[in-house]
Amino acid sequence: MANMFRARRSMLVGAGAIAGYFARTPAAALAANPASDDAPANAAGKMINVEQALDVLYFGVANVRNPKYAGGAKGGGRDDTAAFRAAIASGLKIVYAPADHYVTDTITLPVDVSLIGDGMRQTIIESRAIGTSLIKTAAPSGTQVGCIRDLQLLGNNQTGAAGNGHAINFIDPVRGSGLWTPQGMTVERIWIRRFRGQDSRDGGSGNRIAAAGIICVEGLQNIYRDVLIHNCGNGIYLERAQTNKIENCTIFQCDKYGIASFQSVATVVDKCDIVGNGSSGATDPGYPADFGMGNVISFRDEVFVFTNNKSKNTGGIAQLYLNSTNGAVVENNWLRADGDATRANVVNHALFAVKCPSIQVNKNTFSHILAARTSPASARARIVRFATDSVNGVFNGSFSNNTFVAQSGLLTEYNLCLEGRSNNCVFAGWDISGNRFGTPLSIGTAHVIDVDIVVRNCAFTHSRMRNNVFYAQGNVTRKIGVSGTNLSAHNNLDIGDNLFKQDGGKISDNYDGLLYPTRRLGRGTFASPHLAPGAVTTTTLPVSNALPGEPVQAFFSTPVPGVILSAWVSAAGMVTVQAFNPTQAALSLGSANVGVIASRMSDAEAD
């Protein structure tokens, strides 16, 4: 019983025991004896873990080792494709590739068939599929439950026509069928590297893109877990896919995207390292014009969740670039804005979101490139940017409890920017609260931030900007905390209760251009020059930008003894003035004009 509680939870299963469970299966198929990559051999059989034993008990194993090439010797026109295809044709559900170095052309997995090896360093499958995919799925039947695990998939590192296609191709063979193939596939403990050729984006003859480690088009509820993708054209590419999850993966030094999700629903990326992708700096043909480059892309998705990830060293527009994605959630990530040597005066954004309604960006840490830009020396970082050019829609969201880290020797244009094309572009329903701009961490040389939060070329309305901390430690200069146009109380904004703290550094100005002037005037006359005892008369005056609820003062241009004036904002831009005669005698208003002053907190008062 002690063996049952080992760390690997291994079991002792011999070939005879397997044959006992599958007496009616072909003897050749039962000859397999899948061994774990680290369990010791035993006279009665090899040690295999519980997961492998259950596979054997319930599904059987087709062994794809070709005895002719045992030991992994290469050369001389070696091709193990026939051995893999024969194992698949055996009818069993587990295709087991023992530790070896295989060389194959395209392998197609039927419904419910899994491909399993002895570990990503023990079982290596080298692709001979030039310009097409190494592993594909069969025509749809509504399901494709299975797994690919414990393997290394190896390409030839060639680009263009001489390179391999996709490593794993989950493109629905009949796109648009509504069957969503594959479904429920798990890809785990896989190392994919050097697939850099060209292959189809949609399974047809056109729209060829840089080869992907994994591509999924119209797949449903697939999981990619503990996958290492290195030196491929793309890392993981999803298009018109639903409910796919990418977790605990490392994707680095791919030519195009680390992860790209296009017109997909409920893509989740969690606990991944996505580093140094997008160095080629140009999209492939067939994408929309504004698809853009970056480490991670979400384009026209419905719900994109990006949590607990690290992203840096991209060569594109941003570490995380969201375009026209609805309901994005970006939380608990570390994102670093990096330099791009191909574009002057630009340091790439950590996060750039364009036309993404209902976005939530919370509890992230935003950092800068580790070394200061020296060419040109005036280059300024742009860390987080929300933008829209839509004059009909409303861009809403939350940006809360995030931290911005200062870095020695850098210049920053802004930490957070909300930007439109014109004042007809509306940002509404925003909650920008609880963020920390700067930390007590010491820096060695000067870091100058032009503005922490800037709102420009848009209508910013019905939003709040409160409880943020602007902190300047030694060698940090924050020129302006909050700056912008159309930031006024008449837009139903709640701006205030922000903390500005100098601790060895400098904050030059808390707010800039934030609110309207304190006093705005309106003038007019009453219709009647006489007011009877106990009588009331009113008049309405236009006052630019006045809003109901604002304090208003009324006055006569010359004294009118005995008359009591009162005033209030009766409608946007309009003030009603009332004159009341409390005496027992008629009063003459004469030729006096009536005026009003609408008051509001000034920029200086906001400080």
Side-chain angles (χ1 to χ4, degrees):
M1 293 295 291
N3 285 341
M4 296 182 63
F5 299 98
R6 295 181 56 183
R8 292 279 300 181
R9 294 182 301 171
S10 298
M11 294 178 63
L12 185 63
V13 181
I18 298 174
Y21 282 103
F22 299 100
R24 290 180 293 177
T25 61
L30 296 174
N33 186 21
S36 70
D37 53 10
D38 61 354
N42 184 283
K46 292 184 178 180
M47 300 295 294
I48 65 174
N49 62 40
V50 172
E51 186 177 44
Q52 291 171 318
L54 291 176
D55 288 340
V56 171
L57 296 178
Y58 289 102
F59 299 109
V61 175
N63 193 339
V64 300
R65 185 193 298 275
N66 189 331
K68 183 177 178 181
Y69 303 117
K74 296 176 61 179
R78 168 178 178 174
D79 189 342
D80 296 312
T81 306
F84 275 90
R85 292 177 178 174
I88 291 170
S90 69
L92 297 180
K93 297 302 184 182
I94 302 296
V95 176
Y96 167 62
D100 204 338
H101 188 135
Y102 304 89
V103 180
T104 76
D105 208 323
T106 298
I107 303 167
T108 300
L109 295 179
V111 172
D112 300 334
V113 172
S114 297
L115 176 60
I116 298 174
D118 271 337
M120 63 173 61
R121 293 185 180 274
Q122 283 70 41
T123 300
I124 302 172
I125 302 176
E126 182 176 340
S127 177
R128 295 187 58 173
I130 304 301
T132 189
S133 304
L134 174 60
I135 299 176
K136 294 183 177 181
T137 52
S141 65
T143 61
Q144 184 84 37
V145 177
C147 69
I148 302 171
R149 70 169 185 253
D150 298 311
L151 303 165
Q152 179 181 154
L153 305 181
L154 178 63
N156 64 11
N157 206 35
Q158 299 296 308
T159 59
N164 306 111
H166 308 308
I168 297 177
N169 175 338
F170 283 170
I171 300 176
D172 190 331
V174 185
R175 292 161 307 288
S177 65
L179 295 178
W180 303 96
T181 297
Q183 295 182 21
M185 289 290 289
T186 299
V187 178
E188 60 183 345
R189 302 191 295 272
I190 300 289
W191 183 4
I192 302 172
R193 60 192 181 109
R194 309 204 318 173
F195 287 80
R196 300 181 63 204
Q198 295 282 316
D199 205 343
S200 173
R201 198 184 88 201
D202 58 9
S205 58
N207 288 331
R208 294 180 70 79
I209 62 173
I214 301 171
I215 185 170
C216 177
V217 178
E218 295 190 6
L220 174 67
Q221 295 175 342
N222 301 303
I223 297 175
Y224 315 100
R225 178 191 300 127
D226 301 320
V227 177
L228 171 62
I229 301 177
H230 176 217
N231 280 357
C232 292
N234 289 285
I236 298 178
Y237 178 87
L238 308 175
E239 184 171 346
R240 301 191 304 277
Q242 293 191 29
T243 323
N244 281 249
K245 186 171 185 179
I246 303 166
E247 61 179 352
N248 299 323
C249 295
T250 299
I251 303 171
F252 66 106
Q253 295 180 351
C254 292
D255 298 331
K256 302 294 182 179
Y257 307 103
I259 297 173
S261 181
F262 181 26
Q263 294 180 325
S264 295
V265 177
T267 298
V268 176
V269 181
D270 185 48
K271 302 183 186 70
C272 295
D273 271 11
I274 309 114
V275 177
N277 306 287
S279 59
S280 65
T283 59
D284 286 321
Y287 291 107
D290 54 346
F291 199 79
M293 286 300 298
N295 217 3
V296 179
I297 296 282
S298 171
F299 193 89
R300 298 179 188 170
D301 285 342
E302 288 290 330
V303 183
F304 180 84
V305 179
F306 192 78
T307 54
N308 306 300
N309 304 293
K310 181 180 75 177
S311 179
K312 65 177 184 176
N313 295 353
T314 184
I317 193 171
Q319 297 299 336
L320 176 57
Y321 178 54
L322 311 174
N323 191 321
S324 306
T325 288
N326 183 41
V329 177
V330 182
E331 290 188 347
N332 296 307
N333 304 287
W334 184 85
L335 303 175
R336 191 179 78 188
D338 285 328
D340 184 352
T342 66
R343 296 185 297 161
N345 286 313
V346 172
V347 177
N348 295 324
H349 297 82
L351 168 63
F352 187 11
V354 181
K355 292 180 292 188
C356 296
S358 302
I359 188 171
Q360 300 178 51
V361 181
N362 306 309
K363 301 179 183 178
N364 302 282
T365 297
F366 297 103
S367 183
H368 298 72
I369 191 170
L370 294 181
R373 285 291 298 273
T374 58
S375 178
S378 60
R380 281 168 160 75
R382 301 167 183 175
I383 310 304
V384 176
R385 182 182 177 192
F386 299 104
T388 182
D389 59 3
S390 174
V391 298
N392 296 315
V394 174
F395 193 171
N396 66 301
S398 67
F399 189 86
S400 300
N401 300 305
N402 301 286
T403 299
F404 291 84
V405 179
Q407 182 68 42
S408 291
L410 294 185
L411 303 174
T412 297
E413 179 181 332
Y414 56 73
N415 276 322
L416 172 61
C417 177
L418 281 69
E419 183 174 31
R421 184 177 61 184
S422 70
N423 290 345
N424 292 322
C425 299
V426 178
F427 285 78
W430 279 81
D431 180 12
I432 302 174
S433 62
N435 301 290
R436 188 179 184 104
F437 297 89
T439 69
L441 298 175
S442 62
I443 63 173
T445 57
H447 182 176
V448 178
I449 300 98
D450 291 343
V451 59
D452 282 301
I453 302 176
V454 59
V455 180
R456 59 195 184 194
N457 300 324
C458 65
F460 188 57
T461 181
H462 295 82
S463 299
R464 59 178 293 176
M465 192 183 296
R466 300 178 66 85
N467 301 320
N468 300 288
V469 176
F470 301 84
Y471 183 88
Q473 72 268 45
N475 289 320
V476 171
T477 297
R478 319 191 87 88
K479 291 184 177 180
I480 302 172
V482 181
S483 176
T485 55
N486 295 318
L487 297 185
S488 57
H490 92 277
N491 280 342
N492 289 307
L493 296 181
D494 180 8
I495 300 177
D497 291 337
N498 298 300
L499 174 63
F500 297 85
K501 175 68 173 177
Q502 297 181 151
D503 187 11
K506 181 180 180 181
I507 300 177
S508 302
D509 194 0
N510 295 354
Y511 298 96
D512 178 67
L514 202 60
L515 300 170
Y516 281 106
T518 301
R519 299 172 54 156
R520 284 160 295 118
L521 303 178
R523 292 183 182 274
T525 60
F526 287 103
S528 173
H530 299 283
L531 198 59
V536 173
T537 186
T538 61
T539 187
T540 302
L541 310 178
V543 177
S544 177
N545 298 316
L547 285 178
E550 288 184 347
V552 180
Q553 294 176 292
F555 59 93
F556 282 114
S557 59
T558 59
V560 181
V563 175
I564 298 176
L565 287 178
S566 58
W568 62 92
V569 180
S570 52
M574 302 299 295
V575 173
T576 296
V577 182
Q578 175 181 277
F580 170 54
N581 179 3
T583 70
Q584 301 300 312
L587 297 175
S588 174
L589 302 180
S591 60
N593 291 320
V594 65
V596 293
I597 299 175
S599 300
R600 184 178 293 126
M601 182 175 63
S602 69
D603 186 30
E605 290 171 322
D607 289 352

